Amino acid sequence: MAIAAKFPICLLALLTFASLVDSVFSTSVPTISASPAVLPYVNAPNMSSFFPAPKTMPLNPAVSPSLQAVSPIPSSGEFVGRSWSSAVKLQSGTAISDLWLHVLIVFLSALAAIGSKPFKNTTHSSNPNLATLFNKYVDKTNVFSWNSVIAELARSGDSVEALRAFSSMRKLSLTPNRSTFPCAVKSCSALFDLHSGRQAHQQALIFGYESDLFVSSALIDMYSKCGHLDDARQLFDEIPQRNVVSWTSMITGYVQNGEALEALLLFKGFLIEETENEDVYIDSVAMVSVLSACSRVSRKGVTRGVHGFVIKRGFEGDTGVGNTLMDAYAKCSEIGVSRKVFDGITGKDVISWNSVISVCSQNGMSAEALELFHDMVRDGAVAYNAVTLSSVLLACAHSGALQVGKSIHNQVIKMGLEDDVYMGTSVIDMYCKCGRVRAARRAFGRMKEKNVKTWTAMVAGYGMHGHAREALEVFYDMNQAGVKPNYITFVSVLAACSHAGLLDEGWSWFQAMEHKFNIEPGVEHYGCMVDLLGRAGLLNKAYDLIKDMKVRPDFVIWGSLLAACRMHKNVELGEICARKLFELDPSNCGYYVLLSNIYADAGRWEDVERMRIYMKSHGLVKPPGFSLVELKGGVHVFLVGDTEHPQHEKIYAYLEMLSVKLQEAGYMPNMTSVLHDVDEEEKGMTLRVHSEKLAVAFGVMNSAPGTTIQVIKNLRICGDCHTMIKLMAKIVDREIVVRDSKRFHHFKDGLCSCGDYW
Ligand SMILES: [Zn+2]
Ligand SMILES: [Zn+2]
């Protein structure tokens, strides 16, 4: 279908080309002034309606009159004797006009666009007209003609045809020259075709072009891309006079094969040769290669050192260098410096913007990512693309910025990107994480193509909202559709079972994963199972599972069991878990607090006191909890006991007023959630100002009655906040959605979707 549609356009391009050739040869100097019209004419989508074109049919009226003058389209018979090589000869003659370049490019890209037809069977094309035209216009005895054809095919990405043309040329016993090899070798690289690459290398050797700098650099690149670094290095070492291209090819080769340290060692050699040989100098392209090695090594010191060199040589403002430098800093977690590098790039391109936005999105700096996106739109110098929108959607997902997410989704639809499977998956993920699982499902339903990530995003989405049945249904449909689940899919399936307490389903999928799908369970899968068993009260079974693990249990697994021990008041096992956790993650204060709470529940106050003293003497501080709430497109952040927010006084007053109603509804603050180091009255205060309470109150105060309040918390919601928000939802008659570090809680009418099971 696609080829059929292309044919008439290409054929017309050939004919137009032929007409121009005709005019050019009829007068000694090309005089057609309408040359720019040729390109839009060829690309016009409505050209297919011209096929089959009657001989007398006028050309597109939109085309300028001087071009129309060449119609009616001449029959192929008129071109006899006018060969394309004459055109090439004209090119290599005295003056070559832009028109000629245009014409050549149009002709060659028309050939390339036809697909493989004319070259595949040079003399047996299924379309006799095309074969005739091709045979007429390419002078097969001229090596320059072949070079141009090979180069153009390679450049347009049709490497298979470029290699076929190369081999056809060799079959005609034509002697290749130094321009023939680089393009032929590059086509081998593009296809990762080592066999053809070696053949091309041999021929270069036979014709004496092996040490030609362009040929050898292309060969180094080919061997590296095919994973044969030793051959590449041998060739590199044998080059008598290396230049910047040879050095860059070799450094890039090391980077591509994951040998970034070798690449950096070679860079040292490059610097030495630069001081000794004045023909060798480091340029910005070489710098990009070196910096991508820094990205892979991700060591602060190394990146800083190379950055110093970049400044010294004045490459700082270069867009390519800046983009790679940003990435190198981001990879060694120097987000601030990465941002500064971005600010310093003078000609920011779409890659610069995409990198900075994605660095922020991926490092939890959602507000910055969204702000940068606004800057990009306001700046207007660079148009955003699918990659940008994906990063912005990720930032929306992390910060729960539903309104911004929705507007990005609209933009995705407007730009016709909704069918893109990666984009669609980002949209689903955004809606799920912003609490709109139904909107996610609608977007999911509209997607024509779904890959394993798409299905997994939907399974995970249902799971985090506690809709385990729906998650398992989607998982079932995924299997029916013949999409093979992967490691992450099973994490999502087991997490869904764990969120809903589906013990039997969880077990059976955990077994099936290994035995039916050949996926070895990893820590994440064990984590879900321990959580599932632990919360169901099967503490010993969970402990046995940990002991049987083929991989080393991590702090998440012991943490789940410790939390289960608190829930089911098992001091003995709790102590075992805590001991493991203190070894694995000694600076995390959360475990000390959990163990302390287990002791408190058991009334072991001496142990509670012991924990308190230990924590104090080791300077362990609880990580600050914070909550986010989106309001009119802006994201508001609240810390525990926040006094920074402009409305904080109003919020506290509102909560004070509400507490009376809450107590009437039977609310009793749950004191055991707090470390027993404050007196009762103060404890009441501390609980009240948990960040999620502030965020919920702020949301209720500032939004229209009936609207849903959505809050995101960085830690797990505590029992007291959970109880209070349930009652609050009833008193203020609102739906309140809280996403904590584990899952979603939908509070409505005094109940929560998790069924108090989280
Ligand atoms: Zn709380
Ligand atoms: Zn809940």
Side-chain angles (χ1 to χ4, degrees), residues 722 744-747 752-756 758:
H722 197 268
F744 274 92
H745 301 265
H746 292 257
F747 298 96
C752 179
S753 63
C754 74
D756 298 334
W758 83 94

Side-chain angles (χ1 to χ4, degrees), residues 12 16 20 32-44 46-47 50 58-71:
L12 271 171
T16 313
L20 289 172
I32 297 172
S33 55
S35 63
V38 173
L39 287 174
Y41 169 60
V42 168
N43 293 329
N46 62 346
M47 291 314 289
F50 282 84
L59 291 175
N60 191 334
V63 179
S64 71
S66 54
L67 192 69
Q68 292 230 21
V70 299
S71 64

Side-chain angles (χ1 to χ4, degrees), residues 26 101 340 364 407 434 474 567:
S26 59
L101 275 178
K340 270 191 195 136
S407 69
C434 287
V474 172
M567 192 186 282

